[in-house]
Amino acid sequence: MHRNFALAALALGFAAPSAANAASADRAPFGTLADGSPVEVVTLTNSHGMRARILSYGAILQGVDVPDRDGKIADVTLGYADMQGYLTAPNYFGATVGRYANRIKAGRFTLDGKGYTLALNNKTNALHGGVKGFDKRPWRIVEVAGGATPHVTLAYTSADGEEGYPGELQVTATYSLNDANELTVDYRATTNKPTVVNITNHSFFNLGGEAAQRSIYDAVLTIPAETTTSVDATLIPTGSFRLVAGTPFDFRQPMVIGSRIRDARDPQIVFGQGYDENYVLARTLSATPRLAARVTDPVSGRTMEVLSNQPGVQLYTGNFLDGTAVGKSGHAYRQGDGIALEPQVFPDTPNQPALGSARLDPGQTYHNVIVYRFSVSPR
């Protein structure tokens, strides 16, 4: 456990682990879908009082409660207090997105000589799995367990042809919370015929607190990547790898997010209306999770590190939040109210072999493991 986070836990009364404040996993009703079927929430709590709430709808991360440097606990994710918000204006808050996260150009790709057509739900492109992707589907809760590392496993079967993708896909999402204040999301999938897969978590974080009513522009971001996959005006990769050196996209050293987010001299900023770009961490998967990004809120002291085995991480600064979504605290979410850091393979990879491969064949297992590690920094 990080020492500074431990001090914050002590200030909240979360002292050394004991029977009185043992880790737990609790299951409860959350709401219902339009057809009346129930949605449940599973709350994972570690022995220091950190909490994560996961919905059986969309395998959504509905909330993460962590203390600041003074011990004040707050929810640091954007989202809704009830099901109505997720059904009417989802905005991918906390969502598990797939079958293919990010964009596929013109909603088309070819696999083994056969063409596939997807819904165009992002202007001229397909985005995040389609009109009704994994984020808008009911998932089955297959296991809830307490113990030293409380966890929940959810499962979803994506039918052959669903949203235009080939192959029946068996998907699991396991959320676990340990006493090092690490929330891990483990995605796995298998298929019965060749397909393409890219699953990630689309949580928006504001380490100042979801209810703080201040943007993430004053937060400090680090991304250890030398290049991005540059995009065109429709946010599809051009196929080239662009050096971040000398651009507003250089976060190799800690940098205030808002210091260059409106630098319109860079066309990539204009295309995304802020940051909306894939960073190249590597060209291949890693055997173990590696650092993808680090964010620190200087006011609260909360720090989050994101680690994953994936080759890329999409940085998105909530550029299209327009005030129409009213969140858990009752205030309208606007541009810059949250930051999404989405570990994944690169956008439009099914159409651009030079960017890697998103192919999954029978007998193989797709695996994306994401770790959100929380701590606090001193004043």
Side-chain angles (χ1 to χ4, degrees):
M1 181 180 187
H2 293 278
R3 177 178 179 274
N4 290 323
F5 197 105
L7 292 174
L10 285 169
L12 280 170
F14 305 137
S18 68
N21 58 338
S24 63
D26 301 303
R27 188 171 175 172
F30 185 79
T32 57
L33 301 180
D35 64 2
S37 57
V39 174
E40 294 184 272
V41 58
V42 175
T43 301
L44 307 178
T45 307
N46 72 10
S47 61
H48 306 293
M50 179 179 162
R51 290 181 292 273
R53 295 179 296 280
I54 299 95
L55 302 184
S56 61
Y57 176 79
I60 285 170
L61 182 59
Q62 190 265 345
V64 179
D65 299 338
V66 293
D68 65 10
R69 64 163 67 93
D70 297 319
K72 181 179 179 182
I73 204 161
D75 185 351
V76 297
T77 60
L78 274 55
Y80 297 107
D82 55 37
M83 275 306 302
Q84 192 59 39
Y86 292 106
L87 294 175
T88 59
N91 286 292
Y92 302 107
F93 292 145
T96 292
V97 290
R99 179 176 305 194
Y100 197 93
N102 220 311
R103 294 171 177 86
I104 293 180
K105 184 177 181 178
R108 296 179 180 179
F109 67 93
T110 300
L111 191 65
D112 294 335
K114 182 177 180 180
Y116 295 92
T117 301
L118 316 172
L120 302 182
N121 62 325
N122 185 242
K123 297 182 180 178
T124 60
N125 302 313
L127 176 70
H128 292 333
V131 175
K132 194 174 180 181
F134 293 176
D135 60 301
K136 300 177 184 68
R137 304 278 182 172
W139 290 56
R140 307 182 305 279
I141 297 178
V142 297
E143 183 181 30
V144 178
T149 304
H151 63 273
V152 57
T153 297
L154 306 99
Y156 175 66
T157 299
S158 177
D160 183 11
E162 183 178 283
E163 291 292 328
Y165 291 93
E168 180 182 274
L169 202 70
Q170 300 291 338
V171 189
T172 61
T174 298
Y175 287 83
S176 58
L177 179 61
N178 67 20
D179 277 337
N181 306 303
E182 295 172 336
L183 176 63
T184 298
V185 191
D186 191 299
Y187 293 119
R188 296 174 189 258
T190 58
T191 184
N192 65 352
K193 66 171 65 170
T195 190
V196 294
V197 181
N198 184 28
I199 305 169
T200 193
N201 188 277
H202 201 294
S203 289
F204 288 85
F205 292 92
N206 187 324
L207 297 181
E210 179 271 343
Q213 299 196 48
R214 55 186 176 88
S215 79
I216 49 88
Y217 293 159
D218 291 331
V220 178
L221 175 64
T222 306
I223 299 179
E226 294 185 354
T227 58
T228 66
T229 49
S230 62
V231 295
D232 61 21
T234 70
L235 301 179
I236 291 294
T238 63
S240 65
F241 293 89
R242 184 190 190 217
L243 291 171
V244 298
T247 78
F249 291 83
D250 191 352
F251 288 98
R252 291 174 296 171
Q253 298 299 318
M255 181 65 63
V256 174
I257 294 171
S259 62
R260 301 170 300 182
I261 197 168
R262 302 192 189 283
D263 187 350
R265 294 171 296 178
D266 191 309
Q268 301 289 291
I269 291 285
V270 177
F271 294 158
Q273 298 181 31
Y275 293 115
D276 193 359
E277 191 126 339
N278 172 67
Y279 281 76
V280 179
L281 303 171
R283 298 299 299 275
T284 59
L285 293 173
S286 173
T288 57
R290 57 194 161 204
L291 182 68
R294 180 185 297 109
V295 187
T296 297
D297 175 58
V299 177
S300 69
R302 294 187 186 94
T303 294
M304 180 182 73
E305 293 179 317
V306 182
L307 302 92
S308 177
N309 64 338
Q310 296 297 294
V313 60
Q314 184 82 12
L315 166 64
Y316 175 55
T317 47
N319 312 324
F320 302 107
L321 297 178
D322 60 5
T324 58
V326 179
K328 288 174 277 190
S329 63
H331 80 268
Y333 294 142
R334 300 199 59 158
Q335 186 180 58
D337 276 356
I339 180 173
L341 294 157
E342 310 157 55
Q344 57 190 274
V345 299
F346 305 158
D348 200 38
T349 289
N351 291 315
Q352 302 192 44
L355 298 182
S357 175
R359 183 186 179 110
L360 182 70
D361 287 313
Q364 298 177 328
T365 299
Y366 168 87
H367 187 208
N368 181 0
V369 57
I370 304 169
V371 181
Y372 302 106
R373 178 186 293 157
F374 293 90
S375 61
V376 294
S377 62
R379 293 189 187 280

